[in-house]
Amino acid sequence: MAKQLKAIKCPNDELSLTNCAIVNPREFDTTVRHIEVTGTSDKFVFTLKADQSVSLGEIGFSAVQRKWAMISIETKILVRPFSYDLATQSISLLTLEIDFLSKKSATLDPFDSDLMARDLLQQFSNQAFTIGQQFAFQLTDRSKKIFLVTVKTIESSDLRSVLNNNQSTKSNKIFSGQLIPNSGIIFEKAEGSSLNLTGKSKGKMQHQSIINPDWDFTKIGIGGLDNEFNTIFRRAFASRVFPPELIQQLGIKHVRGILLFGPPGTGKTLMARQIGKMLNAREPKIVNGPQILDKYVGESEANIRKLFAEAEEEEKRLGPNSGLHIIIFDEIDAICKQRGSATGSTGVHDTVVNQLLSKIDGVDQLNNILVIGMTNRRDMIDEALLRPGRLEVQLEISLPDESGRLHILQIHTAKMREYGKLDSGVDLAELAALTKNFSGAELEGLVRAAQSSAMNRPIKASNKVTLDADAVEKLKISRDDFMNALENDIKPAFGVSAEDFELYIRNGIVLWSQAIRDVLEEGQLRIHQTIKSEMTPLVTILLEGKPNSGKTALAAKIAMNSQFPFLKFCSPQSMISYSEMAKAEAIKKVFNDAYKSELSCVVVDEIESLLDYAPIGPRFSNFVLQTLKLLFKKLPPKGRKLLLIATTSEKELIKELGLYQSFSKVIHVPNISRGEEILNFVEQMECFSKQDMDVLNRQINSKTLSIGVKSLLDVIELSQQTTDVYRVAKFVDALEDIGGLHD
């Protein structure tokens, strides 16, 4: 509704610097933010501010405003409420001409345009601006300099495209718009001015939105994390693009915390460090978790308070118009352990967690912060930190898939390709396929190892180390360099324990009977079930049989046949002298590591030994038993599959302890029980001559016995130590002693 108001001077200098039209609080409804003034020649838009020093029926303007709008004091002007379409008239980029308001205050001292842009956003956020508009702008630093600013150009982006996740946002030139906290500001020195501007916000520059869908991830050295970045943008930053009043109308609270977790070397820290560079926000504060801790009482909590002090001060001063403050905690598990879990009487960790909780989501909530925590051990973080309102966006940064590995390799070989130092025979797609379960850091290490291998070629080591200059010029990193690095230098932490598996099958698998073929065929069937089935992400097999029957070797062979990227042995030999709790933790770690891979196989060898079972007594570890029971039944996370192969020589014990029903298939591994099976075995081993085999055939073909594969291999090795004349006799005598040959 239009009104006739009398124009007057601004009541005081402080109100003059607000760039607002001043009216009595009862003049307009509180919902009216802007007004349109009809002057002598045109219409002008001003932002309203209420103050009791102005009488009803009057409206105050500063001298700069009156000059721009050509408004005379004591004249009646037509005023009507005005509002912007925030979706299309929110300013994305504001270009300003600036000069000293008074020539007497001119100086040659440099002024940081970035700090000036921050000050201007803080003072005039959500105000109306029109091309040609002039206003006074005072710095908040010690200089208190006042400048005359003229609006040169205004650009806006269609915010609806951000909500709709469009691939590109088009900037439009507009005549008038509303400044928002994330607007870009560019200062250009007015013609003839002596003003000395420094910083990135001076002159013409390309504006980048807070969310740039066309962001090139190769520029920041992170590969394979496109989906993770998109999730962070959608959850944490999209709401911060819009004006505060729109956020209030929707009842939205900004996300104040993100937790990045996952295996070491997957890019968590690198991602967090780059977030600040992609945002129109303060320089992020980056702290390592252990740096917070202090030996003096109360200092650890004080260190937490210092991190939030600047954000608190700005929140009190500017409210919803405050800029975004990013605080990054690396290794956050060092300071945010479960309360009550830490040993000792100081309780420092508990009070640090309490202090952090109060700052993120306490009584006096801060809405201008974003806390990013990173950890390899999400399970150690206090649960109170993980609920909504705190570190509510929890994102797993997992091992990269094949396309992600290719992307990472492309990033780390970019310089070599640019300068022609990568041999044409190097196929990065092949390397990506070969490096299953490599983390980003391990892939970078692989490239460095290949470079090191290539750089050793031109070095001639004799009495003196010399460098072949011609070879240096021709130096290229070849496929052989990468293969050598793969084979000898870099092994993935979440890959295949090749040494363990090769140790158990170093003599190969001898198919001495159909029973052994059946075991391997059943194992192959279970491998296919693990890969293809959507209903059974956990497949469990138990190989049971007498001691020395070859159960462990068969389990290792089945695991190797799977060619899964993660193969791990959980063996009692690696846990000698472990306490019950340490053994349970070690077993749990093997399974937790397996869950990080899409396809995993874990071999749990000699269950009875893991349980510390002793038949005299008997006794066993109930703590380890309960751990195994839970882990054998626990389904892997969504999208992950696990093949579990266990071995035991105590089938009845496993039944009594309640572990037997945890397995989807129990396979019996028999001992060698007939003479013809021994003949098949030694024939495949090729350890006797044809004449010796004929003698053996006559002596043991129709005999029966019971002997394990390991024992038979020992007998064969023993017989090989004698002369040819006595070799067969020694072999048969040893079989009599161990297996008991019978007719």
Side-chain angles (χ1 to χ4, degrees), residues 23-54:
V23 296
N24 190 279
R26 292 178 293 161
E27 195 71 63
F28 289 98
D29 189 86
T30 55
T31 58
V32 178
R33 297 294 309 279
H34 312 292
I35 57 168
E36 183 183 72
V37 174
T38 302
T40 57
S41 61
D42 210 341
K43 295 179 179 179
F44 304 89
V45 179
F46 293 92
T47 300
L48 273 185
K49 186 175 183 65
D51 193 273
Q52 292 286 358
S53 59
V54 178

Side-chain angles (χ1 to χ4, degrees), residues 235 258-264 268 331-339 341 373-388 391-397 588 592-593 595-596 634 637-638 640:
R235 292 295 311 278
I258 300 173
L259 179 68
L260 305 178
F261 65 94
K268 300 182 296 296
E331 306 298 342
I332 194 173
D333 54 281
I335 59 171
C336 293
K337 291 183 174 67
Q338 294 277 355
R339 284 173 290 183
S341 64
M374 291 161 291
T375 180
N376 304 327
R377 298 290 307 274
R378 180 192 179 194
D379 56 300
M380 295 179 64
I381 305 295
D382 191 274
E383 290 181 359
L385 268 171
L386 303 180
R387 72 157 179 79
L391 301 181
E392 64 178 277
V393 178
Q394 295 154 38
L395 200 62
E396 181 178 8
I397 310 300
K588 180 184 174 185
N592 285 339
D593 289 349
Y595 296 149
K596 293 179 172 68
K634 181 181 178 182
K638 186 178 180 181
R640 315 289 165 84

Side-chain angles (χ1 to χ4, degrees), residues 21-149:
I22 315 300
V23 296
N24 190 279
R26 292 178 293 161
E27 195 71 63
F28 289 98
D29 189 86
T30 55
T31 58
V32 178
R33 297 294 309 279
H34 312 292
I35 57 168
E36 183 183 72
V37 174
T38 302
T40 57
S41 61
D42 210 341
K43 295 179 179 179
F44 304 89
V45 179
F46 293 92
T47 300
L48 273 185
K49 186 175 183 65
D51 193 273
Q52 292 286 358
S53 59
V54 178
S55 303
L56 281 171
E58 294 180 341
I59 182 167
F61 296 99
S62 68
V64 176
Q65 290 173 321
R66 296 197 305 273
K67 181 180 178 181
W68 168 58
M70 292 180 288
I71 298 172
S72 301
I73 297 175
E74 302 296 329
T75 60
K76 291 282 187 178
I77 57 175
L78 187 64
V79 178
R80 59 169 54 87
F82 181 86
S83 62
Y84 286 105
D85 179 358
L86 296 177
T88 58
Q89 292 182 294
S90 291
I91 298 174
S92 62
L93 182 63
L94 186 65
T95 305
L96 305 170
E97 279 192 353
I98 186 168
D99 195 3
F100 294 104
L101 181 64
S102 171
K103 296 299 181 181
K104 293 180 180 179
S105 64
T107 176
L108 295 177
D109 294 339
F111 290 89
D112 190 333
S113 60
D114 297 327
L115 296 178
M116 294 170 67
R118 187 183 71 179
D119 266 5
L120 190 138
L121 278 174
Q122 291 175 354
Q123 293 180 38
F124 304 127
S125 186
N126 301 314
Q127 288 197 22
F129 286 91
T130 306
I131 291 178
Q133 178 179 350
Q134 291 186 325
F135 61 94
F137 164 48
Q138 183 177 33
L139 292 181
T140 57
D141 61 11
R142 291 182 179 179
S143 69
K144 298 296 181 182
K145 289 290 184 182
I146 302 177
F147 300 95
L148 176 64
V149 182

Side-chain angles (χ1 to χ4, degrees), residues 525-552:
L525 187 65
R526 298 294 170 170
I527 291 170
H528 289 309
Q529 180 186 358
T530 307
I531 296 172
K532 296 181 179 180
S533 176
E534 296 299 328
M535 300 176 64
T536 53
L538 173 64
V539 177
T540 54
I541 309 172
L542 176 65
L543 301 184
E544 62 85 15
K546 294 183 179 179
N548 297 329
S549 59
K551 302 180 296 296
T552 303

Side-chain angles (χ1 to χ4, degrees), residues 710-727:
K710 286 185 181 178
S711 300
L712 180 56
L713 285 170
D714 183 64
V715 170
I716 292 172
E717 284 292 318
L718 178 66
S719 67
Q720 299 302 306
Q721 310 309 311
T722 62
T723 60
D724 294 345
V725 177
Y726 300 106
R727 185 170 294 166

Side-chain angles (χ1 to χ4, degrees), residues 127-172:
Q127 288 197 22
F129 286 91
T130 306
I131 291 178
Q133 178 179 350
Q134 291 186 325
F135 61 94
F137 164 48
Q138 183 177 33
L139 292 181
T140 57
D141 61 11
R142 291 182 179 179
S143 69
K144 298 296 181 182
K145 289 290 184 182
I146 302 177
F147 300 95
L148 176 64
V149 182
T150 305
V151 179
K152 188 174 180 182
T153 62
I154 301 174
E155 293 182 20
S156 73
S157 296
D158 190 348
L159 298 183
R160 279 188 286 256
S161 64
V162 178
L163 278 181
N164 296 330
N165 199 24
N166 285 354
Q167 290 302 307
S168 62
T169 56
K170 184 178 180 182
S171 293
N172 301 308

